[in-house]
Amino acid sequence: MAEILFPALFLLMALGLPVAFAMAISVFLALSLGSSYPKIVVVKEMFAGLDSFPLLAVPFFVLAAELMTGGAITHHLLRFASQFVGHLRGGLGHANVISSTLFAGISGSALADAAGPGAMMVRMMEKGGYDRAYAGALTISSAVVGPIIPPSITMIIYAMQDQQVSVVSLFMAGILPGLLITAAMLATNAIMSARRGYRGADTRPGAGEMLRTSAMALPALMLIVLVVGGIRFGIFTPTEASVIAVFYALTCGMFIYRSLRLRDLPEIILRAALVSSAVLLILGAARAFAWVLIIEGIPQDLAATIIGWDLSPVMFLLAVNVLLLLFGLFMDPLPGVLILVPILAPISHALGIDPNHFAIVVIVNLTMGLATPPVGALIFVVSGATQMRPAALVRELPPFFLASIAVLLLLTFIPALSTWLPQVSGL
């Protein structure tokens, strides 16, 4: 079946078919033309891939992010970030990066990060004298932190594929790498701003204004503490945390910021449903795709081959980096996790690599694919939101991509960046 499965998948994706439909159709063709299995297996495996309690967290976290965006959270986070760095050289760019990091702690999604505060920051940076394409590229690169800072939809899916890790341990493991990526983007923006002469605001806000701005942003920032702290201390599960996040976001938008009205809710719920449906379709199709791979024995054969190479743990991680960077050019992170983790994770465990360390390397790697052509979703989200040509954005991406590669290498060679927080947290 594999000789039909992979050519069909690549052909359908080359024709522009969405990845969920490409995977489902390729599985159906493989079963129809290369086996005697009943076709109903495709539907059965797709439903089996969605029949999971932890998976309920995905639509609720998406809805919480939509409610926060509709409830003026983006505006207050931008003002909060700008008051600390807006006066520095490249200050608006720094505010872009910091607001993306803060919003990542609410949305768990790179695409939501880019479409929400990112698109608004592009317009602000352009008015502040920044090149529009540069502002868009910075938004794309800083949004990569979305699935790495907890809560993270990608981490929830990863924990379902590898029983050696938990959602809580991955949430803890992602904090330092996420902050490291933020620092790398800030440094890159500082260097590029110095070269291009991008200046900051003329004056810094007074202490009174900073206190008022911080007070307005505090309810939004507390959501991050509520979700991560509640999960860490066992008050509620990640799925329960996602439901609490929805009610908290609703309360903030309607009663604290008073910018969310009842008549806004149907549109917000519809947007969240569309995003959640797209994610769940990918998960279901990837489960069917992975089933065919297992039936064909491809993971087992590949694992035996790689183990036969007698690679050291570091060389294995470097090989995984190259593989995933190439894979990310053509595939989104979620199907990448669903297809590759069941194959690669057991090998990493056999080599003695810490499961949280390996998980973060994989997640950061695949997430970087969202910002790389030819199918980088972040490029097209920002392009559509700002009415810019994708080619103009791509030309500005290399410095930020190199910074991301530097972070990836640090995460590869220094496991403590991913394992220290889970260890001190008793996870």
Side-chain angles (χ1 to χ4, degrees), residues 159-183:
M160 294 172 59
Q161 306 305 310
D162 183 2
Q163 300 303 312
Q164 299 294 319
V165 297
S166 67
V167 174
V168 186
S169 70
L170 288 183
F171 279 8
M172 291 294 105
I175 293 175
L176 287 181
L179 295 177
L180 193 60
I181 292 174
T182 297

Side-chain angles (χ1 to χ4, degrees), residues 133-197:
Y134 173 82
L138 179 60
T139 296
I140 292 168
S141 303
S142 58
V144 167
V145 80
I148 300 165
I149 293 284
S152 165
I153 294 171
T154 305
M155 289 178 179
I156 295 171
I157 305 305
Y158 188 103
M160 294 172 59
Q161 306 305 310
D162 183 2
Q163 300 303 312
Q164 299 294 319
V165 297
S166 67
V167 174
V168 186
S169 70
L170 288 183
F171 279 8
M172 291 294 105
I175 293 175
L176 287 181
L179 295 177
L180 193 60
I181 292 174
T182 297
M185 294 303 115
L186 289 172
T188 306
N189 176 65
I191 294 170
M192 297 300 294
S193 296
R195 289 180 178 177
R196 299 187 180 193

Side-chain angles (χ1 to χ4, degrees), residues 6 15 81 113-114 133 154 162 187 198 217 242 253 258 271 333 340 358 381 416:
F6 288 105
L15 293 174
D113 204 340
T154 305
D162 183 2
Y198 297 144
S242 66
R258 297 185 178 182
R271 288 201 305 268
L340 295 177
F358 183 73
V381 166

Side-chain angles (χ1 to χ4, degrees), residues 15 32 34 54 105 130 133 154 163 187 298 308 311 325 329 362 371 418:
L15 293 174
S32 300
Y130 291 74
T154 305
Q163 300 303 312
I298 293 174
L311 297 175
L325 285 172
L329 295 176
V362 170
S418 306

Side-chain angles (χ1 to χ4, degrees), residues 39-398:
K39 313 305 176 292
I40 194 66
V41 169
V42 180
V43 178
K44 172 184 173 296
E45 289 299 324
M46 290 183 70
F47 273 97
L50 302 178
D51 185 15
S52 170
F53 177 73
L55 203 56
L56 286 173
V58 173
F60 283 114
F61 274 129
V62 171
L63 179 56
E66 291 288 346
L67 287 168
M68 279 295 200
T69 303
I73 177 63
T74 301
H75 172 71
H76 292 292
L77 287 179
L78 288 177
R79 290 190 61 193
F80 177 75
S82 296
Q83 70 180 350
F84 296 108
V85 295
H87 63 287
L88 301 175
R89 180 179 290 277
L92 282 177
H94 293 327
N96 189 343
V97 176
I98 293 173
S99 63
S100 289
T101 304
L102 294 174
F103 195 78
I106 295 170
S107 70
S109 166
L111 300 182
D113 204 340
M120 187 181 298
M121 278 304 306
V122 170
R123 292 189 288 272
M124 290 178 61
M125 289 176 68
E126 186 179 11
K127 290 179 181 178
Y130 291 74
D131 182 80
R132 194 165 173 231
Y134 173 82
L138 179 60
T139 296
I140 292 168
S141 303
S142 58
V144 167
V145 80
I148 300 165
I149 293 284
S152 165
I153 294 171
T154 305
M155 289 178 179
I156 295 171
I157 305 305
Y158 188 103
M160 294 172 59
Q161 306 305 310
D162 183 2
Q163 300 303 312
Q164 299 294 319
V165 297
S166 67
V167 174
V168 186
S169 70
L170 288 183
F171 279 8
M172 291 294 105
I175 293 175
L176 287 181
L179 295 177
L180 193 60
I181 292 174
T182 297
M185 294 303 115
L186 289 172
T188 306
N189 176 65
I191 294 170
M192 297 300 294
S193 296
R195 289 180 178 177
R196 299 187 180 193
Y198 297 144
R199 303 187 63 83
D202 294 332
T203 58
R204 185 174 185 174
E209 184 179 348
M210 291 181 71
L211 284 174
R212 287 191 295 272
T213 301
S214 299
M216 288 301 295
L218 186 61
L221 298 174
M222 283 303 298
L223 177 59
I224 305 171
V225 177
L226 176 68
V227 170
V228 178
I231 294 173
R232 164 61 188 88
F233 293 106
I235 301 173
F236 36 70
T237 67
T239 304
E240 293 165 345
S242 66
V243 178
I244 291 170
V246 168
F247 282 99
Y248 184 87
L250 193 61
T251 301
C252 284
M254 296 189 73
F255 302 110
I256 298 178
Y257 296 123
R258 297 185 178 182
S259 57
L260 189 63
R261 295 161 296 186
L262 282 175
R263 65 172 177 268
D264 299 328
L265 293 182
E267 183 181 353
I268 289 173
I269 293 172
L270 177 61
R271 288 201 305 268
L274 290 174
V275 173
S276 301
S277 298
V279 172
L280 295 175
L281 274 174
I282 291 174
L283 296 178
R287 168 62 182 260
F289 193 91
W291 178 83
V292 174
L293 295 181
I294 294 170
I295 290 297
E296 289 288 276
I298 293 174
Q300 299 91 321
D301 294 341
L302 183 59
T305 301
I306 294 176
I307 291 174
W309 291 345
D310 197 24
L311 297 175
S312 67
V314 171
M315 289 304 299
F316 172 72
L317 285 175
L318 290 174
V320 167
N321 281 336
V322 174
L323 170 65
L324 296 184
L325 285 172
L326 293 174
F327 190 89
L329 295 176
F330 306 100
M331 190 74 74
D332 288 340
L334 289 183
V337 166
L338 288 161
I339 294 172
L340 295 177
V341 169
I343 300 173
L344 298 175
I347 304 173
S348 74
H349 303 333
L351 292 173
I353 299 171
D354 185 277
N356 288 310
H357 177 210
F358 183 73
I360 293 301
V361 170
V362 170
I363 291 169
V364 171
N365 229 314
L366 291 174
T367 304
M368 286 171 58
L370 290 171
T372 55
V375 294
L378 284 172
I379 298 173
F380 296 101
V381 166
V382 173
S383 173
T386 60
Q387 302 301 307
M388 275 189 287
R389 292 173 57 248
L393 296 170
V394 170
R395 282 195 294 268
E396 296 283 357
L397 282 173

